[in-house]
Amino acid sequence: MAAGAAVRAWMLVLCLWGAVTGDQNITARIGKPLVLNCKGAPKKPPQQLEWKLNTGRTEAWKVLSPQGDPWDSVARVLPNGSLLLPAVGIQDEGTFRCRATSRSGKETKSNYRVRVYQIPGKPEIVDPASELMPGVPNKVGTCVSEGGYPAGTLSWHLDGKTLTPDGKGVSMKEETKRHPETGLFTLHSELMVTPTRGGALHPTFSCSFTPGLPRRRALHTAPIQLRVWNTVPLEEVQLVVEPEGGAVALGGTVTLTCEAPAQPPPQIHWIKDGRPLPLPPGPVLLLPEVGPEDQGTYSCVATHPSHGPQESGAVSISLIETGEEGTTAGSVEGPGLETLALSLGILGGLGTVALLIGVIMWHQRRQRRGQERKVPENQEEEEEERAELNQPEEPEAAESSTGGP
Ligand SMILES: *[C@@H]1O[C@H](CO)[C@@H](O)[C@H](O)[C@H]1NC(C)=O
Ligand SMILES: *[C@@H]1O[C@H](CO)[C@@H](O)[C@H](O)[C@H]1NC(C)=O
């Protein structure tokens, strides 16, 4: 692969430079072939050279020569005198030395220190939080890097700046595991932060893996943006009861409302006679069809993650004493009043009619008296007038006239 080719090219550069200094550090990717050159050796046999290696696979120095057999599939000396490791493993870390004598009899030593590496997968943030609460420690997420060698380190960044555990607002819980067969590392880093009140409301977190070997590139997770609750402190928890006073007739409804204004909204639990009610949390407690068992003292408790629980004052719910008798009496009283009003109305109407009749009768009598007292010659004229006025009431008029003085 391209990376492997780059490593080999870089190794070659180091090897050429090593011809001057005499020893180098070599890094090789796990599973890839590694070629170490024996400096000063003739390019073709016959050669006078010897490879010596001390690695995780050897108990002491292992000697390899061009004439000797290859060491299983681990290493062999190539025709040009270089040492080939077809697939480097963690156990191949160690020291490699070659001593060669040129055709002219000059002795050259090569000394390598080999380290191997594996690039882990891209780190990831698992179980990320979405919201953070100011004033209390919050878990942001766990950064995971899998399959790297050597272990390397994970670091967290907030808005591009590296976070360091300070024992107060920032803490990290780290764990390093090693695969029993491959020997590769899995790193976990759990980040806890305590956002300050009034701080940034949309912080961006990211995590990066720094390899354990120099000159290797760091790997970064995708950033995660979280929301910090802009908390409004919990002032006072108030319990409002409807109907006011908490006295209710049997079968009536009582509504208890717990007023605990805070951001984010606190969790509300209910307490009756000192014992928590087994209800899901909620700000409203509705008691429909109140019975004797509902009587008692109620209060609510608001729990806010950054303030702790806070209890309201107590309210007592009681049944109105009159009970069913009271309601019956009431229902009778209502229609009674109506009847009274109706009778009064009828009486009033009758009274008005009676009054009207009275007034008319009185008027007629006055008229008659006037006729009698007045000039008798005009009697016929007056009679006609009277007939016109009181035509429908003629029998009454007749009666009154008979009864008149
Ligand atoms: C090789 O690595 C060792 C530490 O592992 C260091 O002390 C030394 O200076 C390095 N040599 C070269 C040539 O970089
Ligand atoms: C020896 O041969 C190998 C494989 O053919 C090659 O990678 C290496 O560079 C050679 N070494 C020298 C010193 O030419």
Side-chain angles (χ1 to χ4, degrees):
M1 288 213 289
V7 168
R8 262 170 294 191
W10 181 71
M11 264 164 42
L12 189 69
V13 169
L14 268 186
C15 290
L16 293 170
W17 178 66
V20 183
T21 61
D23 70 296
Q24 304 118 38
N25 292 327
I26 302 289
T27 58
R29 190 165 175 174
I30 290 170
K32 303 283 177 195
L34 170 66
V35 175
L36 297 170
N37 292 332
C38 184
K39 285 162 235 160
K43 292 282 169 262
K44 282 172 192 162
Q47 295 139 324
Q48 256 197 299
L49 65 89
E50 185 189 67
W51 277 100
K52 276 198 338 181
L53 44 151
N54 194 355
T55 68
R57 292 187 208 269
T58 65
E59 274 165 20
W61 287 102
K62 170 95 182 166
V63 179
L64 290 170
S65 65
Q67 299 79 34
D69 293 326
W71 181 20
D72 301 328
S73 58
V74 176
R76 68 189 148 100
V77 181
L78 294 171
N80 66 8
S82 295
L83 185 73
L84 169 72
L85 285 84
V88 175
I90 292 170
Q91 288 180 303
D92 293 313
E93 285 193 315
T95 309
F96 293 74
R97 282 180 190 160
C98 185
R99 193 174 59 193
T101 310
S102 70
R103 306 250 190 257
S104 59
K106 191 185 169 233
E107 195 182 84
T108 310
K109 284 179 181 168
S110 310
N111 199 355
Y112 302 99
R113 169 140 186 88
V114 171
R115 307 279 316 267
V116 300
Y117 70 91
Q118 186 56 276
I119 300 167
K122 202 179 176 210
E124 272 181 68
I125 298 170
V126 296
D127 300 330
S130 56
E131 327 181 303
L132 301 175
M133 192 72 61
V136 291
N138 294 255
K139 192 187 147 186
V140 173
T142 304
C143 184
V144 179
S145 162
E146 222 168 333
Y149 186 91
T153 50
L154 291 174
S155 49
W156 283 92
H157 313 275
L158 168 58
D159 295 327
K161 278 181 228 137
T162 303
L163 285 170
T164 44
D166 56 7
K168 292 176 287 174
V170 179
S171 71
M172 290 163 205
K173 205 164 81 191
E174 290 176 342
E175 193 185 53
T176 303
K177 277 191 217 153
R178 202 164 174 192
H179 194 281
E181 281 154 37
T182 64
L184 302 180
F185 290 97
T186 296
L187 308 181
H188 290 256
S189 175
E190 185 188 288
L191 175 67
M192 301 281 288
V193 294
T194 305
T196 50
R197 277 175 232 276
L201 294 179
H202 297 282
T204 300
F205 291 90
S206 65
C207 172
S208 64
F209 169 81
T210 307
L213 290 179
R215 280 188 275 247
R216 301 271 149 228
R217 274 182 35 221
L219 301 169
H220 304 273
T221 63
I224 54 165
Q225 193 179 56
L226 308 187
R227 182 163 85 108
V228 176
W229 280 100
N230 191 7
T231 53
V232 174
L234 192 52
E235 299 262 309
E236 199 185 335
V237 182
Q238 286 202 324
L239 183 52
V240 177
V241 62
E242 178 69 42
E244 219 174 317
V248 64
L250 188 74
T253 300
V254 171
T255 310
L256 294 158
T257 309
C258 193
E259 289 179 356
Q263 272 305 327
Q267 268 210 339
I268 310 283
H269 292 274
W270 292 91
I271 290 176
K272 185 192 173 198
D273 299 327
R275 260 178 263 153
L277 285 172
L279 297 169
V284 177
L285 178 62
L286 187 72
L287 303 172
E289 292 171 45
V290 171
E293 71 281 1
D294 292 317
Q295 295 188 105
T297 307
Y298 290 79
S299 62
C300 63
V301 176
T303 311
H304 198 276
S306 62
H307 301 93
Q310 209 171 323
E311 192 173 346
S312 71
V315 156
S316 80
I317 302 298
S318 58
L319 287 174
I320 296 167
E321 277 306 313
T322 47
E324 266 189 2
E325 275 172 33
T327 36
T328 322
S331 64
V332 164
E333 208 174 295
L337 271 169
E338 268 170 44
T339 320
L340 183 68
L342 193 69
S343 341
L344 277 173
I346 292 164
L347 279 175
L350 284 173
T352 315
V353 170
L355 199 68
L356 261 172
I357 292 167
V359 166
I360 290 161
M361 277 165 64
W362 175 75
H363 187 69
Q364 283 177 352
R365 266 179 225 162
R366 242 185 59 167
Q367 274 186 339
R368 210 160 293 165
R369 254 182 252 146
Q371 277 166 21
E372 280 161 5
R373 272 183 229 144
K374 270 186 191 166
V375 227
E377 308 94 64
N378 283 354
Q379 205 173 349
E380 269 186 32
E381 229 182 86
E382 291 279 330
E383 284 281 329
E384 268 174 35
E385 229 179 76
R386 191 180 54 95
E388 265 171 40
L389 266 166
N390 299 308
Q391 235 161 12
E393 286 172 22
E394 229 168 73
E396 253 186 62
E399 214 182 288
S400 60
S401 59
T402 44

